[in-house]
Amino acid sequence: MGASISPPAGACLVTGCAGFVGGHLTEALLALGAEVVGVDNLSSGRRENMEGFLNHPKFHFLKRDILETDWLDEARRTLPYFRCVFHLAAVVSVAYSMNHETETLETNYKASIELYNQTVNDGARSFVFAGSAAEYGDEACLPIKEEYADNRTIQLSPYGRSKYLASRHIIEAGVGCSLRCFNIYGPRQDPSSPYSGVISRFLLQAARQESLTILGAGDQTRDFIYVSDVVRAYLLAAGLGPAADKPLVGAFNVGSGGRLSIQELASAVNKITGNPAGMTHLPPRPGDVLHSLADVSKLERATGFKTQTTLETGLKETWRAQGSPGE
Ligand code: UD1
């Protein structure tokens, strides 16, 4: 996407700028000529994710926690008005949220709606919230449509619940949007935790020439989407797409609209990486949903969005960037 055909991004606020998606998004905004205040407490975000732009003249980094009361004042002292707000800072681990419900709700819900209310009140032109597929709980009816998450939905974790509550506030307020991303993967996704995204874990195992650990039979399916496609969806959602459309209002799924079994994924990873170690089946993860697939027609209708990166290309790009430990 060239800067010449997109509208000026102006002043942007990105919370969670050192996260996996936040880092890629910040990079894209700076490439569009935006001036960006990035906020991150570096609890799950990593400084390495900001390496490409930390010294950019139009980037201002605040190492702050969004639960602190005065962080937004400091951001406003840096740039007085934010045209676009991208809110990705969150408790991001579903597993962690299970034992930290209050902290998860305070961060992902309460702090989110405070930021929303204040910046929309300040006149922000767009507010894009990082919602989640976890808002749908264990939804059996596929593909999953946005309206399936409602007050009767039982989310499987405080993480999913907190994201739903914040999305609902934004939908009801009628300004800005929540992007419910499905399984995102790509360069710089942290593979180090057992709860990291399966693609980052498989690529790390392949780099070490270990067998890929399939949890359960491997017939569970997911809708994988490459991070640069997700970034494009964020820009479109803020009205920063090439067609200079209006910012989106409401909730929108962000996925590929296709699904792949974990067994098929493991085969693809071993093929692309030349990993000779094969696969091992371990017991399934408790609470794992069997199938997940986004209905992406709402975003497509609103913005013309279509993914551009195939799984094969995305895996190759991620492998190239992540590489083997010896590289
Ligand atoms: C994803 C999100 C999570 C969200 C959930 C529901 C990520 C990292 N997590 O979880 O935040 O709550 O969707 O929307 O995107 N697997 C293996 N081997 C491994 C690791 C995982 O076989 O080493 C399997 C898992 O059991 C699962 C599948 O791969 O069936 C995908 O796992 P994961 O990448 O963790 O994502 P979700 O479980 O879909």
Side-chain angles (χ1 to χ4, degrees):
M1 180 182 301
S4 54
I5 51 169
S6 293
C12 299
L13 176 64
V14 179
T15 71
C17 63
F20 163 48
V21 178
H24 284 279
L25 173 63
T26 303
E27 211 162 55
L29 288 168
L30 291 166
L32 284 178
E35 181 139 24
V36 180
V37 173
V39 179
D40 204 299
N41 67 0
L42 300 181
S43 66
S44 58
R46 297 182 297 170
R47 211 170 262 277
E48 303 96 89
N49 288 346
M50 300 191 289
E51 244 164 35
F53 55 82
L54 198 50
N55 294 322
H56 191 289
K58 288 186 160 184
F59 179 67
H60 313 274
F61 178 54
L62 304 182
K63 183 178 174 302
R64 296 294 301 268
D65 190 315
I66 58 161
L67 285 178
E68 290 163 2
T69 50
D70 61 338
W71 74 267
L72 185 57
D73 294 333
E74 189 181 349
R76 286 176 177 134
R77 280 196 296 277
T78 311
L79 292 178
Y81 162 73
F82 296 109
R83 184 173 187 268
C84 307
V85 179
F86 299 91
H87 180 41
L88 293 86
V91 170
V92 292
S93 164
V94 174
Y96 180 90
S97 82
M98 299 303 258
N99 301 317
H100 298 84
E101 183 167 2
T102 306
E103 180 190 339
T104 305
L105 285 167
E106 293 272 310
T107 308
N108 295 5
Y109 172 46
K110 195 161 161 259
S112 296
I113 63 171
E114 267 167 31
L115 174 64
Y116 175 84
N117 291 342
Q118 291 201 46
T119 51
V120 168
N121 203 31
D122 284 349
R125 181 169 176 270
S126 65
F127 188 99
V128 185
F129 174 65
S132 170
E135 293 176 44
Y136 296 109
D138 192 0
E139 178 55 58
C141 184
L142 301 181
I144 299 172
K145 292 181 190 295
E146 287 80 358
E147 63 263 28
Y148 293 175
D150 63 22
N151 290 337
R152 288 160 300 178
T153 306
I154 299 168
Q155 287 81 19
L156 305 179
S157 61
Y159 171 83
R161 184 74 191 150
S162 63
K163 289 285 182 179
Y164 169 70
L165 292 171
S167 293
R168 190 182 67 182
H169 179 87
I170 293 166
I171 295 163
E172 286 174 358
V175 177
C177 68
S178 169
L179 296 185
R180 293 176 175 154
C181 294
F182 281 63
N183 291 65
I184 311 171
Y185 73 100
R188 306 203 291 259
Q189 190 170 29
D190 182 5
S192 60
S193 131
Y195 289 93
S196 300
V198 63
I199 291 184
S200 67
R201 284 185 52 78
F202 278 0
L203 289 175
L204 181 65
Q205 289 167 339
R208 293 173 174 163
Q209 304 219 327
E210 295 168 0
S211 63
L212 309 187
T213 52
I214 296 179
L215 306 177
D219 54 357
Q220 67 269 44
T221 57
R222 293 293 184 273
D223 182 338
F224 293 102
I225 180 162
Y226 190 61
V227 67
S228 63
D229 281 323
V230 171
V231 165
R232 243 168 1 91
Y234 269 87
L235 298 178
L236 287 167
L240 299 176
D245 290 329
K246 285 197 189 103
L248 293 182
V249 175
F252 294 84
N253 288 338
V254 180
S256 70
R259 61 186 167 137
L260 191 77
S261 76
I262 299 305
Q263 179 79 42
E264 290 167 323
L265 172 70
S267 302
V269 167
N270 278 342
K271 186 164 169 231
I272 282 167
T273 62
N275 180 26
M279 309 159 195
T280 311
H281 287 266
L282 297 177
R285 196 161 67 186
D288 217 10
V289 302
L290 194 51
H291 300 296
S292 175
L293 174 66
D295 183 323
V296 291
S297 55
K298 188 176 174 195
L299 182 65
E300 204 178 306
R301 275 195 309 275
T303 65
F305 177 81
K306 279 195 192 312
T307 54
Q308 291 179 346
T309 305
T310 62
L311 187 87
E312 190 185 348
T313 304
L315 284 179
K316 284 181 178 163
E317 289 291 320
T318 312
W319 173 242
R320 193 173 309 139
Q322 194 165 310
S324 64
E327 277 174 12

